[in-house]
Amino acid sequence: MFRSAALVARSSSMAASRRSPLVQQQRQMGGGHGKVEYTGIEASVRKVFPEDHQIVLANFGAFLGIYALYKITSIGGGKPAEAAPAPAAPAASSSDSEVPSIFDESFEEWAKVPGNLEKYEKSVEDWANSQK
């Protein structure tokens, strides 16, 4: 019994080794592209910059040069700054029935007028009652 199991194991192992190739294929990672003949403007550019990385660096330099030229020429050529508009005169708040926001710049002046703080307290109470 053990002899037949050993025979089967050995024969299956030999069959598996016969199926696998003796020499495995390897990738050589070599090559590259062949010599390319350039024509036209590409040929004149390749005379100055024969490698691909040189052309990339030349493009970066050209873009940087254009950007720098734009920035240099646009420094003093802008429109003159317009004067800030004059602030509007505050309306007569004693006759005004609307309460300005507490964050508004004119709130302090509005609050100095007699009777306006009572209006503000009344508006806060009305708002609190409407939130219930």
Side-chain angles (χ1 to χ4, degrees):
M1 177 169 162
F2 290 113
R3 187 172 218 181
S4 63
L7 183 63
V8 169
R10 188 172 22 161
S11 66
S12 64
S13 130
M14 290 174 69
S17 68
R18 273 185 258 138
R19 277 185 255 137
S20 64
L22 296 176
V23 178
Q24 291 189 354
Q25 190 177 25
Q26 293 181 352
R27 293 183 63 190
Q28 299 299 320
M29 301 294 183
H33 55 81
K35 184 94 170 129
V36 179
E37 290 294 323
Y38 299 106
T39 59
I41 194 159
E42 180 85 15
S44 60
V45 169
R46 289 290 179 165
K47 286 179 186 175
V48 179
F49 304 114
E51 300 292 325
D52 290 339
H53 72 276
Q54 292 171 333
I55 292 177
V56 170
L57 291 175
N59 279 328
F60 281 148
F63 293 146
L64 183 65
I66 291 170
Y67 177 74
L69 183 65
Y70 165 75
K71 282 303 212 177
I72 289 171
T73 58
S74 66
I75 286 175
K79 294 180 181 177
E82 295 180 15
S93 55
S94 60
S95 64
D96 205 21
S97 63
E98 189 172 325
V99 177
S101 170
I102 195 167
F103 300 110
D104 192 10
E105 293 176 5
S106 64
F107 182 78
E108 283 188 38
E109 294 297 321
W110 181 85
K112 290 179 182 176
V113 176
N116 280 350
L117 285 179
E118 289 79 20
K119 287 182 190 178
Y120 176 72
E121 290 170 359
K122 174 82 170 106
S123 70
V124 170
E125 289 173 5
D126 291 343
W127 176 81
N129 290 336
S130 70
Q131 297 298 315
K132 291 182 182 179

